[in-house]
Amino acid sequence: MKTLTPVKFCAAVLFTAGIGLTSCEQFELPLPIKSNDKVFKTEIFKKKLQESLQGARGYQFVITHKGQVADTAAYGIGSTSGMAADVNGFVNIASVTKTLTAVTVLKYLDAFTIDDKIGPWLPSSWSKHSHIANLTFKQLLTHKSGIRGGNTSWSTLMSVVGSKIDSPKTYSYSNINFALFRAMIPKLHDSITLREKEKTLSAVEFRRWMSSEYIRLVNAHIIMKAGGSERGCAPVKGRTLQMMNEAPSRLDGAGHDDWTELCGGGGFVLTTMDMSRIITYLAEKETYISANKKLLMDTYRLGWVASYDVYGGKAFAHDGALYMERNGKDSLNVGDIGLQTLIVKLPARVQLAVSVNSVDSTWRGIHGMVRNAYNASWVKE
């Protein structure tokens, strides 16, 4: 039986003198009064995500809402040795690193604009082709530089910088675009110190210094400002989740290499909880970058690989993926091992961080998975 609660309804009573008074009458109505508006249900979002991840050897995700952890999930295993799936287990976040790189670059936006040329910010000792020197920050950050390729070693970066661009400057995803910031962020931060290091260190030592300085600055500006501990681009011994395959193939898995000298377009080793803190701070606060810079980031998708319509607005996301051949065939096939990662900010102050510890014969459509789960999580009470 519903309890009747008195509610006052008021109406204006007008007198000929033009004086407005208020007359109130008390009615008995059932409370609470319900709205026709839909509300977001974390428990539905979680359930739908779990349904979409069936088949994975293991996964972990963290949902945040209004700046707080709303729910977490960890299922299955994280390694062939039986390490459990864990939101605090470490994983190579792969291309999610690009969002960290982009936000770090935007920290220094007061010193340049996204339409400025990158030439002056590359090491002066490198041979620079005019095609590369005349590229803009925006072209790198949006994968519209004309650069192709995925190898991000220092020798590859130097070769690319010294070579002409033959491909059109249309969108083409390339890890090199973001790995080049490993050589530029240290100079954006402190050009005097970089010039000194470039003069006094050997070429190999200078490249190692740029790698460590890039990692230090991403930590200082992004990871540690979100309350995390210092992280790197190398596996954490005994605590890093593996790349694995999925049933019915016989269980197989392996770790990944040290990415310290390759980081930028991929390679940071974080926990899923670390990723959650980062996407939540980016969405909810101005600790990293100002509201204007966040708008710039969203408008041009600087550091986002995808944006798509969802209930109530747009989602902005970046996913990552690694895999290792196990059957000698090109591309991902049954029996290969790998992982997938994702960070996404959604409307209504909802954020999500995901890592999946295995792959099947094709990559999961992880953006569609999130979109469908999120849309299904809005219901009328």
Side-chain angles (χ1 to χ4, degrees):
M1 181 177 177
K2 292 184 178 178
T3 302
L4 294 179
T5 306
V7 180
K8 288 187 176 181
F9 287 81
C10 301
V13 180
L14 300 180
F15 293 86
T16 55
I19 302 173
L21 298 179
T22 302
S23 172
C24 296
E25 185 175 354
Q26 184 166 288
F27 298 89
E28 299 290 328
L29 290 177
L31 283 184
I33 299 173
K34 296 199 174 183
S35 168
N36 289 324
D37 293 340
K38 291 183 177 181
V39 295
F40 174 76
K41 292 290 187 179
T42 301
E43 60 268 28
I44 297 178
F45 192 34
K46 178 179 180 177
K47 180 183 177 183
K48 294 295 183 181
L49 290 171
Q50 289 174 314
E51 290 172 355
S52 297
L53 290 167
Q54 287 181 2
R57 299 280 189 185
Y59 62 78
Q60 36 282 312
F61 62 78
V62 181
I63 303 167
T64 54
H65 188 204
K66 298 180 180 179
Q68 302 294 323
V69 173
D71 212 337
T72 67
Y75 167 84
I77 61 174
S79 73
T80 53
S81 63
M83 183 188 301
D86 186 353
V87 294
N88 293 307
F90 287 90
V91 62
N92 186 323
I93 67 171
S95 287
V96 172
T97 299
K98 291 181 175 69
T99 303
L100 278 64
T101 299
V103 176
T104 304
V105 170
L106 292 174
K107 287 285 293 186
Y108 298 102
L109 193 58
D110 296 336
F112 64 96
T113 74
I114 60 171
D115 293 312
D116 281 355
K117 296 176 181 179
I118 68 169
W121 300 101
L122 289 164
S124 60
S125 58
W126 287 13
S127 174
K128 294 181 279 292
H129 195 284
S130 61
H131 285 193
I132 299 293
N134 288 324
L135 290 175
T136 66
F137 284 91
K138 183 178 176 182
Q139 286 173 312
L140 290 185
L141 291 168
T142 56
H143 296 284
K144 294 180 179 178
S145 65
I147 293 172
R148 304 290 187 266
N151 188 313
T152 59
S153 67
W154 280 116
S155 59
T156 298
L157 297 188
M158 293 176 69
S159 175
V160 167
V161 168
S163 303
K164 68 177 182 178
I165 298 173
D166 293 321
S167 301
K169 292 182 176 62
T170 52
Y171 180 86
S172 182
Y173 191 90
S174 170
N175 288 329
I176 295 172
N177 286 311
F178 279 75
L180 281 172
F181 286 109
R182 191 169 78 235
M184 292 191 285
I185 286 175
K187 193 168 186 177
L188 288 167
H189 177 69
D190 186 345
S191 60
I192 294 174
T193 297
L194 182 132
R195 283 195 295 268
E196 290 175 352
K197 296 291 184 181
E198 195 169 14
K199 289 178 181 178
T200 58
L201 298 177
S202 69
V204 171
E205 290 172 333
F206 177 56
R207 292 194 293 270
R208 286 176 181 164
W209 176 82
M210 284 192 290
S211 292
S212 63
E213 187 69 355
Y214 159 78
I215 292 170
R216 184 186 74 81
L217 291 169
V218 172
N219 269 288
H221 291 312
I222 308 300
I223 299 169
M224 297 176 75
K225 279 195 174 182
S229 300
E230 187 173 359
R231 306 302 192 204
C233 297
V236 179
K237 188 175 181 180
R239 296 182 62 195
T240 302
L241 307 176
Q242 288 184 323
M243 299 179 288
M244 294 184 291
N245 62 1
E246 293 184 6
S249 297
R250 182 179 179 181
L251 177 61
D252 186 18
H256 57 81
D257 295 330
D258 185 336
W259 281 55
T260 300
E261 296 294 305
L262 303 170
C263 226
F268 255 97
V269 177
L270 306 178
T271 69
T272 307
M273 189 61 76
D274 288 334
M275 288 195 290
S276 175
R277 289 192 190 98
I278 289 166
I279 188 59
T280 302
Y281 265 67
L282 179 58
E284 294 284 328
K285 300 176 181 291
E286 293 186 33
T287 305
Y288 296 155
I289 53 177
S290 67
N292 285 338
K293 290 180 181 179
K294 287 196 282 186
L295 179 60
L296 190 71
M297 183 179 179
D298 292 351
T299 300
Y300 295 105
R301 279 177 40 184
L302 310 176
W304 301 124
V305 75
S307 66
Y308 37 89
D309 293 331
V310 292
Y311 184 87
K314 277 193 174 293
F316 294 90
H318 211 302
D319 64 303
L322 294 177
Y323 86 103
M324 186 181 295
E325 290 285 356
R326 286 303 213 216
N327 52 24
K329 299 178 182 178
D330 289 337
S331 73
L332 187 63
N333 296 280
V334 172
D336 289 337
I337 61 176
L339 58 83
Q340 287 183 263
T341 58
L342 173 76
I343 57 172
V344 54
K345 67 171 185 172
L346 295 147
R349 300 178 63 191
V350 177
Q351 297 89 37
L352 175 69
V354 183
S355 55
V356 186
N357 309 332
S358 60
V359 293
D360 197 5
S361 58
T362 57
W363 297 111
R364 278 183 175 79
I366 200 160
H367 297 290
M369 176 189 84
V370 171
R371 180 178 56 243
N372 293 338
Y374 181 76
N375 288 343
S377 301
W378 287 87
V379 296
K380 290 182 179 180
E381 287 192 307

